Amino acid sequence: CAAPLPEADTSPAAEAAFEERTEQLVALDSWRLVARLGLASGEEYWSAQLNWRVQEGQHVLDLSGPMGRGGGRLTLSDNGRALLVTRSGERFQAQDPDTLVARVLGESIPVSGMIYWVRGLLHPEASYQLDIDADGRPLEILQSGWAIEYTEFEEVDGVSMPVAMVLEREEVELRARIGRWQLGPDETW
Amino acid sequence: ADRGMEDARAALDRFVDGLESFSAEFTQTVRDDTGYVLQESDGRMQLGLPNRLHWEVTEPFPQTIVSDGEDLWMYDPDLSQATVRPLGDAFDATPIAAITQPERLDEHFRMSLRPVPGGDALRLVLVPRNEQADFTSLDLDLTADGDLTRMAFRDIFGQETVILFHETERNGELDPGVFTFDPPAGTDIYRP
């Protein structure tokens, strides 16, 4: 069964480690991950595969259901504008991704927060509560009404990256399992 | 090329005629439009025409899809979550429909033929007539004696899923429990 969760640590060393980890990751403007998402809100459940690519600040999130079906492609340009194209070709635009996803998929997926939380980082412009462990890895973040709990990490190029996390707010629970992390640009681009 | 199309239709007919069940092991590779491999997994499938299915992939994300003809279960062991919903027409206009509803192929798809590089198989290319379909084209590779060796489908983002079948068996003995799913203890079950 999963190893017991490490203890929260409030020592200056732990905080310094968290700062250093943050600086390392914020410096990278290209990264990518492949994840499995399970979203439960009330009686509604929706699972999907997420292919999230970031290149020089431009985000492309491909969401697909089982056997690569359903979902669509969400593109975020660095000024925050969001474009969603569903797999059957419908196009939707909005100033920010969260209202767009809520309107189109009817689910409240906090994309603008996840840009940071998925990497175990704090959203820079929101107040927060944070528990970290002795190595400076986040255990739990409370921010923008969401509680993000990190239950498993993996070393990627010397940085501890989350591979299992749960995001909760009121009756919405989003579980994410990350199967592949890549930090830095992709050679095939 | 008509000769080719006739041979391809004949091969397809040989595959679907009298087909009651089809089981196979497969390797599934999903690539995005840049060619980056999103998922490479081994899997097993059992199909009981017309609409009973057991589809299981192992990594990187294990997932099980089971239809008993009435209900459709989708189970994510990693997330210990499962959904069950009435099957309804969930299979229509899906790649599986090309095999389970062969008599409606012409109704659902426009068909053409493409040579298979270096293989003796014939590649039927099926383009859904329904614009809202989730995939833009589906390839079925069939050997002359009607064995299904490969299935591939692409979507509007250029994402391609390729499924290579091996250990295929037509109308083989299937254990009766294969099309029923009982979720392990502790699984959160949703009935949207």
Short mmCIF file of all heavy atoms in Angstrom, two decimals, chain B residues 58-104:
data_model
loop_
_atom_site.label_atom_id
_atom_site.label_comp_id
_atom_site.label_asym_id
_atom_site.label_seq_id
_atom_site.Cartn_x
_atom_site.Cartn_y
_atom_site.Cartn_z
N THR B 58 -3.36 -2.27 -19.73
CA THR B 58 -2.66 -2.37 -18.46
C THR B 58 -1.88 -1.11 -18.12
O THR B 58 -2.17 -0.46 -17.15
CB THR B 58 -1.71 -3.56 -18.51
OG1 THR B 58 -1.02 -3.50 -19.77
CG2 THR B 58 -2.49 -4.86 -18.43
N GLU B 59 -0.87 -0.72 -18.89
CA GLU B 59 -0.21 0.53 -18.48
C GLU B 59 -0.15 1.51 -19.64
O GLU B 59 -0.49 1.12 -20.74
CB GLU B 59 1.21 0.34 -17.98
CG GLU B 59 1.83 -1.05 -17.93
CD GLU B 59 2.17 -1.62 -19.29
OE1 GLU B 59 2.65 -0.88 -20.15
OE2 GLU B 59 1.87 -2.80 -19.51
N PRO B 60 0.29 2.80 -19.44
CA PRO B 60 0.65 3.34 -18.14
C PRO B 60 -0.56 3.54 -17.25
O PRO B 60 -0.41 3.69 -16.03
CB PRO B 60 1.28 4.69 -18.47
CG PRO B 60 0.64 5.10 -19.75
CD PRO B 60 0.32 3.83 -20.48
N PHE B 61 -1.74 3.57 -17.87
CA PHE B 61 -2.93 3.76 -17.04
C PHE B 61 -3.84 2.55 -17.23
O PHE B 61 -4.48 2.43 -18.27
CB PHE B 61 -3.70 5.02 -17.47
CG PHE B 61 -2.86 6.24 -17.49
CD1 PHE B 61 -2.68 6.96 -18.66
CD2 PHE B 61 -2.24 6.69 -16.34
CE1 PHE B 61 -1.92 8.10 -18.68
CE2 PHE B 61 -1.47 7.84 -16.34
CZ PHE B 61 -1.30 8.54 -17.52
N PRO B 62 -3.88 1.63 -16.28
CA PRO B 62 -4.79 0.50 -16.44
C PRO B 62 -6.23 1.01 -16.57
O PRO B 62 -6.61 1.96 -15.90
CB PRO B 62 -4.60 -0.32 -15.17
CG PRO B 62 -3.83 0.51 -14.23
CD PRO B 62 -3.22 1.64 -14.97
N GLN B 63 -6.97 0.40 -17.49
CA GLN B 63 -8.39 0.78 -17.60
C GLN B 63 -9.17 -0.42 -18.12
O GLN B 63 -8.67 -1.18 -18.93
CB GLN B 63 -8.58 1.94 -18.57
CG GLN B 63 -10.02 2.45 -18.45
CD GLN B 63 -10.35 3.54 -19.42
OE1 GLN B 63 -9.84 3.55 -20.53
NE2 GLN B 63 -11.21 4.44 -19.00
N THR B 64 -10.38 -0.58 -17.60
CA THR B 64 -11.22 -1.70 -18.00
C THR B 64 -12.57 -1.16 -18.48
O THR B 64 -13.16 -0.32 -17.81
CB THR B 64 -11.43 -2.66 -16.81
OG1 THR B 64 -10.15 -3.10 -16.35
CG2 THR B 64 -12.27 -3.86 -17.20
N ILE B 65 -12.99 -1.60 -19.64
CA ILE B 65 -14.31 -1.23 -20.15
C ILE B 65 -15.09 -2.53 -20.35
O ILE B 65 -14.59 -3.45 -21.00
CB ILE B 65 -14.19 -0.48 -21.49
CG1 ILE B 65 -13.37 0.80 -21.31
CG2 ILE B 65 -15.56 -0.17 -22.07
CD1 ILE B 65 -13.05 1.53 -22.60
N VAL B 66 -16.28 -2.64 -19.76
CA VAL B 66 -17.06 -3.88 -19.88
C VAL B 66 -18.50 -3.54 -20.23
O VAL B 66 -19.09 -2.65 -19.60
CB VAL B 66 -17.04 -4.68 -18.54
CG1 VAL B 66 -17.97 -5.89 -18.64
CG2 VAL B 66 -15.64 -5.13 -18.20
N SER B 67 -19.01 -4.20 -21.27
CA SER B 67 -20.44 -4.03 -21.59
C SER B 67 -21.09 -5.41 -21.59
O SER B 67 -20.55 -6.35 -22.19
CB SER B 67 -20.59 -3.42 -22.98
OG SER B 67 -21.89 -3.77 -23.50
N ASP B 68 -22.23 -5.51 -20.87
CA ASP B 68 -22.95 -6.79 -20.90
C ASP B 68 -24.11 -6.69 -21.89
O ASP B 68 -25.03 -7.49 -21.85
CB ASP B 68 -23.45 -7.14 -19.48
CG ASP B 68 -24.42 -6.08 -18.95
OD1 ASP B 68 -24.77 -5.14 -19.73
OD2 ASP B 68 -24.81 -6.16 -17.78
N GLY B 69 -24.09 -5.64 -22.71
CA GLY B 69 -25.16 -5.46 -23.68
C GLY B 69 -26.22 -4.51 -23.16
O GLY B 69 -26.94 -3.89 -23.92
N GLU B 70 -26.30 -4.37 -21.82
CA GLU B 70 -27.24 -3.41 -21.24
C GLU B 70 -26.52 -2.22 -20.63
O GLU B 70 -26.82 -1.07 -20.91
CB GLU B 70 -28.05 -4.07 -20.12
CG GLU B 70 -29.50 -4.32 -20.47
CD GLU B 70 -29.68 -5.81 -20.70
OE1 GLU B 70 -29.21 -6.55 -19.82
OE2 GLU B 70 -30.18 -6.23 -21.75
N ASP B 71 -25.55 -2.57 -19.76
CA ASP B 71 -24.84 -1.49 -19.07
C ASP B 71 -23.38 -1.46 -19.53
O ASP B 71 -22.80 -2.50 -19.87
CB ASP B 71 -24.86 -1.73 -17.55
CG ASP B 71 -26.26 -1.50 -16.99
OD1 ASP B 71 -26.94 -0.58 -17.50
OD2 ASP B 71 -26.69 -2.24 -16.10
N LEU B 72 -22.83 -0.25 -19.48
CA LEU B 72 -21.43 -0.07 -19.87
C LEU B 72 -20.64 0.39 -18.65
O LEU B 72 -20.96 1.44 -18.06
CB LEU B 72 -21.35 1.01 -20.97
CG LEU B 72 -19.95 1.34 -21.48
CD1 LEU B 72 -19.30 0.14 -22.17
CD2 LEU B 72 -20.01 2.52 -22.44
N TRP B 73 -19.67 -0.43 -18.25
CA TRP B 73 -18.83 -0.08 -17.09
C TRP B 73 -17.49 0.46 -17.60
O TRP B 73 -16.93 -0.06 -18.55
CB TRP B 73 -18.52 -1.32 -16.25
CG TRP B 73 -19.62 -1.80 -15.39
CD1 TRP B 73 -20.62 -2.65 -15.73
CD2 TRP B 73 -19.83 -1.44 -14.01
NE1 TRP B 73 -21.45 -2.85 -14.65
CE2 TRP B 73 -21.00 -2.13 -13.59
CE3 TRP B 73 -19.17 -0.62 -13.10
CZ2 TRP B 73 -21.50 -2.01 -12.29
CZ3 TRP B 73 -19.66 -0.50 -11.82
CH2 TRP B 73 -20.83 -1.18 -11.41
N MET B 74 -16.99 1.56 -16.94
CA MET B 74 -15.63 2.02 -17.23
C MET B 74 -14.93 2.15 -15.89
O MET B 74 -15.39 2.89 -15.02
CB MET B 74 -15.68 3.38 -17.93
CG MET B 74 -16.26 3.28 -19.32
SD MET B 74 -15.86 4.76 -20.28
CE MET B 74 -16.96 4.51 -21.66
N TYR B 75 -13.83 1.42 -15.71
CA TYR B 75 -13.17 1.34 -14.41
C TYR B 75 -11.73 1.82 -14.51
O TYR B 75 -10.99 1.40 -15.40
CB TYR B 75 -13.22 -0.11 -13.93
CG TYR B 75 -12.41 -0.43 -12.70
CD1 TYR B 75 -12.54 0.33 -11.53
CD2 TYR B 75 -11.48 -1.48 -12.70
CE1 TYR B 75 -11.80 0.03 -10.40
CE2 TYR B 75 -10.74 -1.78 -11.57
CZ TYR B 75 -10.91 -1.02 -10.43
OH TYR B 75 -10.17 -1.31 -9.31
N ASP B 76 -11.35 2.76 -13.63
CA ASP B 76 -9.97 3.25 -13.55
C ASP B 76 -9.36 2.74 -12.24
O ASP B 76 -9.55 3.35 -11.19
CB ASP B 76 -9.98 4.79 -13.47
CG ASP B 76 -10.19 5.39 -14.83
OD1 ASP B 76 -9.33 5.17 -15.68
OD2 ASP B 76 -11.23 6.05 -15.03
N PRO B 77 -8.58 1.65 -12.25
CA PRO B 77 -8.01 1.15 -11.00
C PRO B 77 -7.13 2.18 -10.31
O PRO B 77 -7.16 2.34 -9.09
CB PRO B 77 -7.17 -0.06 -11.44
CG PRO B 77 -7.62 -0.41 -12.80
CD PRO B 77 -8.23 0.81 -13.40
N ASP B 78 -6.32 2.95 -11.08
CA ASP B 78 -5.43 3.95 -10.48
C ASP B 78 -6.18 4.97 -9.65
O ASP B 78 -5.69 5.49 -8.68
CB ASP B 78 -4.73 4.74 -11.61
CG ASP B 78 -3.37 4.11 -11.90
OD1 ASP B 78 -2.94 3.27 -11.10
OD2 ASP B 78 -2.77 4.47 -12.91
N LEU B 79 -7.39 5.30 -10.13
CA LEU B 79 -8.16 6.34 -9.45
C LEU B 79 -9.22 5.70 -8.56
O LEU B 79 -9.99 6.40 -7.91
CB LEU B 79 -8.83 7.25 -10.49
CG LEU B 79 -7.87 7.87 -11.52
CD1 LEU B 79 -8.66 8.54 -12.64
CD2 LEU B 79 -6.96 8.89 -10.86
N SER B 80 -9.27 4.37 -8.58
CA SER B 80 -10.32 3.56 -7.91
C SER B 80 -11.70 4.18 -8.07
O SER B 80 -12.43 4.38 -7.10
CB SER B 80 -9.95 3.31 -6.44
OG SER B 80 -9.86 4.51 -5.75
N GLN B 81 -11.97 4.51 -9.32
CA GLN B 81 -13.29 5.07 -9.65
C GLN B 81 -13.87 4.28 -10.82
O GLN B 81 -13.13 3.81 -11.69
CB GLN B 81 -13.15 6.55 -10.07
CG GLN B 81 -12.82 7.47 -8.90
CD GLN B 81 -12.52 8.90 -9.32
OE1 GLN B 81 -12.03 9.15 -10.42
NE2 GLN B 81 -12.78 9.84 -8.44
N ALA B 82 -15.20 4.13 -10.83
CA ALA B 82 -15.84 3.41 -11.94
C ALA B 82 -17.17 4.09 -12.26
O ALA B 82 -17.79 4.67 -11.38
CB ALA B 82 -16.10 1.96 -11.54
N THR B 83 -17.53 4.07 -13.53
CA THR B 83 -18.87 4.58 -13.88
C THR B 83 -19.65 3.43 -14.51
O THR B 83 -19.05 2.53 -15.11
CB THR B 83 -18.80 5.69 -14.95
OG1 THR B 83 -18.34 5.10 -16.18
CG2 THR B 83 -17.89 6.79 -14.55
N VAL B 84 -20.95 3.45 -14.33
CA VAL B 84 -21.79 2.50 -15.06
C VAL B 84 -22.95 3.31 -15.61
O VAL B 84 -23.54 4.14 -14.91
CB VAL B 84 -22.29 1.35 -14.16
CG1 VAL B 84 -22.98 1.87 -12.91
CG2 VAL B 84 -23.17 0.40 -14.93
N ARG B 85 -23.21 3.13 -16.91
CA ARG B 85 -24.33 3.86 -17.54
C ARG B 85 -24.96 2.93 -18.55
O ARG B 85 -24.32 1.99 -19.03
CB ARG B 85 -23.83 5.15 -18.20
CG ARG B 85 -22.62 5.01 -19.10
CD ARG B 85 -22.43 6.23 -19.97
NE ARG B 85 -22.14 7.43 -19.19
CZ ARG B 85 -20.91 7.86 -18.93
NH1 ARG B 85 -19.86 7.15 -19.36
NH2 ARG B 85 -20.70 8.94 -18.24
N PRO B 86 -26.26 3.20 -18.85
CA PRO B 86 -26.89 2.34 -19.85
C PRO B 86 -26.08 2.38 -21.15
O PRO B 86 -25.61 3.45 -21.54
CB PRO B 86 -28.28 2.96 -20.04
CG PRO B 86 -28.48 3.86 -18.87
CD PRO B 86 -27.14 4.26 -18.37
N LEU B 87 -25.91 1.24 -21.78
CA LEU B 87 -25.10 1.18 -22.98
C LEU B 87 -25.70 2.06 -24.08
O LEU B 87 -25.01 2.84 -24.73
CB LEU B 87 -25.03 -0.28 -23.48
CG LEU B 87 -24.28 -0.50 -24.80
CD1 LEU B 87 -22.81 -0.09 -24.63
CD2 LEU B 87 -24.36 -1.95 -25.22
N GLY B 88 -27.01 1.95 -24.28
CA GLY B 88 -27.68 2.75 -25.32
C GLY B 88 -26.91 2.63 -26.62
O GLY B 88 -26.47 1.55 -27.00
N ASP B 89 -26.68 3.78 -27.28
CA ASP B 89 -25.98 3.70 -28.57
C ASP B 89 -24.51 4.07 -28.41
O ASP B 89 -23.87 4.56 -29.33
CB ASP B 89 -26.66 4.63 -29.58
CG ASP B 89 -26.70 6.06 -29.05
OD1 ASP B 89 -26.06 6.28 -27.97
OD2 ASP B 89 -27.34 6.91 -29.65
N ALA B 90 -23.96 3.82 -27.20
CA ALA B 90 -22.59 4.26 -26.93
C ALA B 90 -21.60 3.72 -27.97
O ALA B 90 -20.59 4.32 -28.26
CB ALA B 90 -22.16 3.80 -25.53
N PHE B 91 -21.92 2.54 -28.52
CA PHE B 91 -20.95 1.96 -29.45
C PHE B 91 -21.12 2.46 -30.88
O PHE B 91 -20.24 2.32 -31.70
CB PHE B 91 -21.09 0.42 -29.46
CG PHE B 91 -20.43 -0.23 -28.26
CD1 PHE B 91 -20.66 -1.55 -27.96
CD2 PHE B 91 -19.59 0.51 -27.43
CE1 PHE B 91 -20.06 -2.14 -26.87
CE2 PHE B 91 -18.99 -0.07 -26.32
CZ PHE B 91 -19.23 -1.40 -26.04
N ASP B 92 -22.30 3.04 -31.18
CA ASP B 92 -22.50 3.49 -32.57
C ASP B 92 -21.40 4.47 -32.96
O ASP B 92 -20.89 5.18 -32.14
CB ASP B 92 -23.85 4.21 -32.71
CG ASP B 92 -24.96 3.17 -32.76
OD1 ASP B 92 -24.62 1.98 -32.54
OD2 ASP B 92 -26.12 3.53 -32.95
N ALA B 93 -21.05 4.52 -34.21
CA ALA B 93 -20.05 5.49 -34.71
C ALA B 93 -18.76 5.42 -33.90
O ALA B 93 -18.08 6.42 -33.74
CB ALA B 93 -20.59 6.92 -34.71
N THR B 94 -18.47 4.23 -33.31
CA THR B 94 -17.15 4.10 -32.67
C THR B 94 -16.38 3.06 -33.49
O THR B 94 -16.97 2.30 -34.25
CB THR B 94 -17.29 3.52 -31.24
OG1 THR B 94 -17.80 2.19 -31.37
CG2 THR B 94 -18.21 4.35 -30.39
N PRO B 95 -15.08 3.03 -33.30
CA PRO B 95 -14.31 2.03 -34.05
C PRO B 95 -14.84 0.60 -33.82
O PRO B 95 -14.87 -0.22 -34.74
CB PRO B 95 -12.90 2.20 -33.50
CG PRO B 95 -12.85 3.63 -33.05
CD PRO B 95 -14.23 3.95 -32.55
N ILE B 96 -15.31 0.33 -32.60
CA ILE B 96 -15.80 -1.04 -32.31
C ILE B 96 -16.99 -1.36 -33.21
O ILE B 96 -17.17 -2.49 -33.67
CB ILE B 96 -16.23 -1.12 -30.82
CG1 ILE B 96 -15.02 -1.04 -29.92
CG2 ILE B 96 -17.02 -2.39 -30.54
CD1 ILE B 96 -14.19 -2.29 -29.85
N ALA B 97 -17.80 -0.32 -33.53
CA ALA B 97 -19.01 -0.58 -34.32
C ALA B 97 -18.65 -1.18 -35.68
O ALA B 97 -19.43 -1.93 -36.27
CB ALA B 97 -19.80 0.72 -34.51
N ALA B 98 -17.46 -0.85 -36.18
CA ALA B 98 -17.09 -1.37 -37.49
C ALA B 98 -17.05 -2.89 -37.45
O ALA B 98 -17.27 -3.56 -38.45
CB ALA B 98 -15.73 -0.82 -37.91
N ILE B 99 -16.78 -3.45 -36.28
CA ILE B 99 -16.69 -4.92 -36.19
C ILE B 99 -18.01 -5.49 -35.71
O ILE B 99 -18.49 -6.51 -36.19
CB ILE B 99 -15.58 -5.35 -35.19
CG1 ILE B 99 -14.29 -4.60 -35.45
CG2 ILE B 99 -15.38 -6.84 -35.23
CD1 ILE B 99 -13.22 -4.86 -34.39
N THR B 100 -18.69 -4.79 -34.79
CA THR B 100 -19.87 -5.40 -34.18
C THR B 100 -21.12 -5.20 -35.04
O THR B 100 -22.09 -5.92 -34.88
CB THR B 100 -20.15 -4.78 -32.80
OG1 THR B 100 -20.27 -3.36 -32.98
CG2 THR B 100 -19.03 -5.08 -31.84
N GLN B 101 -21.12 -4.19 -35.92
CA GLN B 101 -22.32 -4.00 -36.74
C GLN B 101 -21.92 -4.00 -38.23
O GLN B 101 -22.09 -3.00 -38.92
CB GLN B 101 -22.99 -2.67 -36.39
CG GLN B 101 -23.41 -2.59 -34.93
CD GLN B 101 -23.68 -1.15 -34.49
OE1 GLN B 101 -23.83 -0.24 -35.32
NE2 GLN B 101 -23.70 -0.92 -33.21
N PRO B 102 -21.32 -5.11 -38.69
CA PRO B 102 -20.80 -5.12 -40.06
C PRO B 102 -21.86 -4.83 -41.11
O PRO B 102 -21.60 -4.21 -42.13
CB PRO B 102 -20.24 -6.53 -40.21
CG PRO B 102 -20.88 -7.34 -39.13
CD PRO B 102 -21.22 -6.40 -38.02
N GLU B 103 -23.14 -5.25 -40.80
CA GLU B 103 -24.17 -5.07 -41.82
C GLU B 103 -24.46 -3.57 -42.02
O GLU B 103 -25.03 -3.17 -43.03
CB GLU B 103 -25.43 -5.85 -41.44
CG GLU B 103 -26.16 -5.37 -40.20
CD GLU B 103 -25.38 -5.51 -38.88
OE1 GLU B 103 -24.37 -6.24 -38.84
OE2 GLU B 103 -25.77 -4.83 -37.91
N ARG B 104 -24.03 -2.71 -41.04
CA ARG B 104 -24.37 -1.28 -41.19
C ARG B 104 -23.13 -0.47 -41.59
O ARG B 104 -23.12 0.75 -41.47
CB ARG B 104 -24.93 -0.74 -39.87
CG ARG B 104 -26.23 -1.46 -39.49
CD ARG B 104 -26.73 -1.04 -38.11
NE ARG B 104 -26.99 0.41 -38.04
CZ ARG B 104 -27.26 1.00 -36.86
NH1 ARG B 104 -27.24 0.31 -35.74
NH2 ARG B 104 -27.50 2.30 -36.81
#
